[in-house]
Amino acid sequence: MASTTISLSLATISSSKALLSHPKPTSIYTFKAYERTFSSSLLGTSLSIETARPRPICRGTASSSSNGVTCSSSSSPLPSALLFDCDGVLVDTEKDGHRVSFNDTFKEKDLGTTWDVDLYGELLKIGGGKERMTAYFNKTGWPEKAPKGEEERKQFIASLHKRKTELFMALIEKKLLPLRPGVAKLIDQALSKGVKVAVCSTSNEKAVSAIVKFLLGPERAEKIQIFAGDVVPRKKPDPAIYTLAASTLGVDPLSCVVIEDSGIGLAAAKAAGMKCIVTKSGYTANEDFLNADAVFDFIGDPPEERFDLAFCGSLLEKQYVS
């Protein structure tokens, strides 16, 4: 059948960002307000659509309907790997976990420093706890108890971060911070289908391992590889952590789907050539996610499910967002 081109012009949308953060989503995911071209294997056509309208969940073979594209569950490819960020994705840890642990550490060391909720939100734009403290002290001035030499200050920061990690792990071991909705479900779906699962984080490896072990359980933890902390020299938004994960797992980056919650994480995933779904967290709800392949408030469990493994696979097949 000869391929034909159909141009569809939809109602003008004043703000794509508003759609991405719609308070009562009526569909599973949203698209960017840009022209996108994709092919329908059933219709034999190439569609050029300029739209920011929400679409229903895609689970496989595309078919046409009055509401746009709907999908069956039989033909979507599976990702080779699902790569999860940790903080804000597995657990919404930042405000009531990491921030509290940093402040408790500063108090113990009598540094006269406190990070309030708003300030910590700004500091999260810097990937990595040690890097975050260093940037803050460089800007505001180093505590009197801090050493003067550059190398000694690195050791000082490392010691603070080690203590902060110990305090944070105590919170996790007591299970005071719950998994976000749908995380365990999506991981179980992936593992049951032979899809590799890894956690890729700028946080300390011990803290990430504690979250995976204590909150996901030892049986899942045995099957999940962790890439965290200083395993790469450059942290997000650099793609090094995701590139390393793909290489170590032996998978093509183009066949990987990343679950992130922040702009710097999204930038890292896209720079690595991977599809990226954003599940917004407390600190990142208002960030710009126009480069994401899909944006949700959370993954979700039935009956509040937002997406599943089949949807992740559909992103690889449909090429909705370049």
Side-chain angles (χ1 to χ4, degrees):
M1 180 182 294
S3 176
T4 60
T5 299
I6 303 172
S7 294
L8 304 179
S9 178
L10 302 179
T12 301
I13 304 298
S14 62
S15 172
S16 61
K17 187 172 183 180
L19 282 172
L20 294 176
S21 57
H22 196 285
K24 295 182 179 179
T26 57
S27 63
I28 301 301
Y29 59 99
T30 57
F31 290 97
K32 293 162 57 178
Y34 295 112
E35 185 175 72
R36 292 292 177 238
T37 299
F38 61 92
S39 297
S40 168
S41 59
L42 292 184
L43 301 178
T45 60
S46 175
L47 302 181
S48 179
I49 298 177
E50 186 173 344
T51 178
R53 65 178 292 177
R55 296 283 192 164
I57 190 167
C58 240
R59 300 178 186 275
T61 305
S63 61
S64 62
S65 74
S66 61
N67 293 323
V69 176
T70 58
C71 304
S72 67
S73 60
S74 58
S75 66
S76 287
L78 290 176
S80 296
L82 279 187
L83 307 179
F84 292 81
D85 178 39
C86 182
D87 299 303
V89 173
L90 301 184
V91 187
D92 205 346
T93 55
E94 296 293 5
K95 180 169 72 73
D96 298 320
H98 288 294
R99 185 185 69 88
V100 170
S101 300
F102 274 117
N103 284 337
D104 286 346
T105 300
F106 298 152
K107 185 176 181 180
E108 279 187 4
K109 303 298 182 181
D110 194 25
L111 300 184
T113 299
T114 301
W115 288 350
D116 63 27
V117 172
D118 292 338
L119 172 59
Y120 192 67
E122 289 297 313
L123 291 171
L124 284 175
K125 296 175 182 177
I126 302 166
K130 292 191 290 292
E131 292 80 1
R132 205 166 293 147
M133 285 188 286
T134 301
Y136 173 78
F137 290 135
N138 280 339
K139 181 177 181 179
T140 64
W142 285 78
E144 291 184 6
K145 294 187 176 183
K148 305 301 182 184
E150 182 177 350
E151 195 60 37
E152 290 78 9
R153 282 182 171 175
K154 287 182 180 179
Q155 296 173 9
F156 174 72
I157 289 292
S159 68
L160 292 179
H161 196 260
K162 179 181 178 181
R163 179 55 181 158
K164 172 261 170 185
T165 299
E166 292 170 352
L167 294 173
F168 177 77
M169 288 176 63
L171 292 176
I172 297 301
E173 290 171 10
K174 294 175 183 177
K175 297 185 178 181
L176 297 177
L177 299 171
L179 287 172
R180 294 193 69 192
V183 167
K185 173 213 71 178
L186 186 58
I187 289 175
D188 287 344
Q189 288 176 348
L191 294 175
S192 70
K193 296 293 185 180
V195 175
K196 296 178 180 180
V197 177
V199 177
C200 302
S201 173
T202 59
S203 290
N204 180 275
E205 189 275 336
K206 290 183 179 180
V208 176
S209 296
I211 287 174
V212 173
K213 177 181 177 181
F214 288 101
L215 300 186
L216 284 169
E219 185 175 344
R220 292 189 186 99
E222 289 179 358
K223 303 172 185 177
I224 298 173
Q225 191 150 349
I226 293 172
F227 302 88
D230 297 323
V231 69
V232 290
R234 298 175 304 279
K235 297 184 178 180
K236 302 173 187 177
D238 191 278
I241 191 81
Y242 287 121
T243 301
L244 174 65
S247 175
T248 304
L249 295 173
V251 297
D252 185 344
L254 296 177
S255 69
C256 296
V257 175
V258 174
I259 316 295
E260 272 285 357
D261 77 306
S262 69
I264 62 172
L266 169 61
K270 299 307 288 184
M274 300 176 179
K275 296 295 182 182
C276 185
I277 301 170
V278 169
T279 56
K280 296 181 289 185
S281 63
Y283 271 121
T284 68
N286 296 320
E287 289 189 20
D288 183 352
F289 297 125
L290 288 179
N291 262 351
D293 294 280
V295 178
F296 302 91
D297 290 333
F298 49 83
I299 299 170
D301 292 302
E304 299 296 327
E305 182 181 64
R306 294 296 186 265
F307 68 95
D308 60 6
L309 181 65
F311 172 77
C312 296
S314 77
L315 291 178
L316 301 175
E317 183 180 48
K318 305 302 176 184
Q319 301 291 313
Y320 291 119
V321 179
S322 61

